[in-house]
Amino acid sequence: MTTSLRSASLDAGRPASAGPRVGVLALQGDFREHAHVLATLGAEVSLVRRPEELETIDGLVIPGGESSVMDKLSRMFGLQAPLKTAIAGGMPVYGTCAGLIMLADTVLDAIAGQESLGGLDVVVRRNAFGSQNQSFETDLDIPALGEVPVHAVFIRGPVVESVGPDASVLASLADGRVVAVEQGNLLGTSFHPEITGEHRFHEYFLAKVRARA
């Protein structure tokens, strides 16, 4: 797996067959698991911790973790504004669990001072599934990914309380609660496909990256 960044001059000479350049926000959370899946699927993976590293990638994954900590660190490292600019500029971004919270336009029950990056026209509720010992697994029907159900693991995940006109629902639980959404180049899931061996969401995301690159 490639974890170093190339200079612009080297990137200009990349062979056409090289995999898409994808960053994983590596401030906190399970970024290593995402990096491993993406590299397995042929992407050229970089761990992103500094603003200038955003300039060398074609897409970004925001991992699960603690959204309030991720928010504070993104501001501390000067990443918040560049991330918002990249999202507004159309960079494909996939957020899982805390990453979905970071991408939501509105976050319910956020801690004092917590901010999101925005981009997804949704309202999410943090820790909607309770504490970590209330984690669970289930199979989801997701037509966009094929007929075979997706096995999903929920660990203190958020729920999408409402979906605005610019976003669309990809998956819901049996009780109707929305757990996967899409809006243009943005993708968000309440669950963690990076830890189950389920690669179809990452493949779906990489298709967005390739299409834009």
Side-chain angles (χ1 to χ4, degrees):
M1 177 178 66
T2 301
T3 56
S4 61
L5 294 166
R6 297 184 177 188
S7 67
S9 60
L10 287 176
D11 286 336
R14 292 172 81 241
S17 59
R21 301 171 301 182
V22 179
V24 182
L25 189 63
L27 300 177
Q28 189 264 349
D30 63 342
F31 55 87
R32 294 181 182 84
E33 289 81 356
H34 279 288
H36 175 73
V37 172
L38 292 165
T40 298
L41 295 175
E44 181 182 347
V45 184
S46 299
L47 302 183
V48 174
R49 297 186 177 94
R50 296 177 295 180
E52 59 268 27
E53 293 169 345
L54 289 171
E55 300 174 4
T56 68
I57 59 175
D58 302 314
L60 179 72
V61 171
I62 304 178
E66 175 49 59
S67 60
S68 60
V69 174
M70 212 174 291
D71 166 46
K72 289 179 181 178
L73 290 175
S74 71
R75 285 182 273 169
M76 184 182 303
F77 284 83
L79 272 164
Q80 185 190 63
L83 283 168
K84 287 184 175 182
T85 298
I87 291 168
M91 176 182 283
V93 182
Y94 174 28
T96 61
C97 197
L100 169 58
I101 296 171
M102 292 287 285
L103 288 176
D105 282 346
T106 304
V107 181
L108 302 179
D109 66 5
I111 68 168
Q114 181 176 353
E115 301 176 13
S116 68
L117 299 170
L120 277 174
D121 186 16
V122 298
V123 177
V124 301
R125 183 177 297 280
R126 295 171 64 248
N127 300 334
F129 294 110
S131 61
Q132 189 158 333
N133 62 9
Q134 293 175 297
S135 302
F136 67 98
E137 304 180 23
T138 190
D139 289 336
L140 300 172
D141 291 323
I142 306 180
L145 301 186
E147 295 182 2
V148 179
V150 169
H151 189 68
V153 174
F154 293 82
I155 305 172
R156 296 178 58 213
V159 153
V160 178
E161 293 276 345
S162 63
V163 179
D166 293 330
S168 57
V169 176
L170 288 178
S172 302
L173 297 174
D175 61 9
R177 288 181 291 177
V178 175
V179 292
V181 291
E182 178 181 33
Q183 181 177 330
N185 283 328
L186 303 181
L187 182 65
T189 59
S190 300
F191 48 92
H192 292 266
E194 74 278 6
I195 66 174
T196 62
E198 171 56 74
H199 293 174
R200 280 178 288 169
F201 262 102
H202 289 83
E203 291 172 343
Y204 190 70
F205 168 68
L206 287 176
K208 292 179 180 292
V209 177
R210 291 188 180 96
R212 185 170 187 270

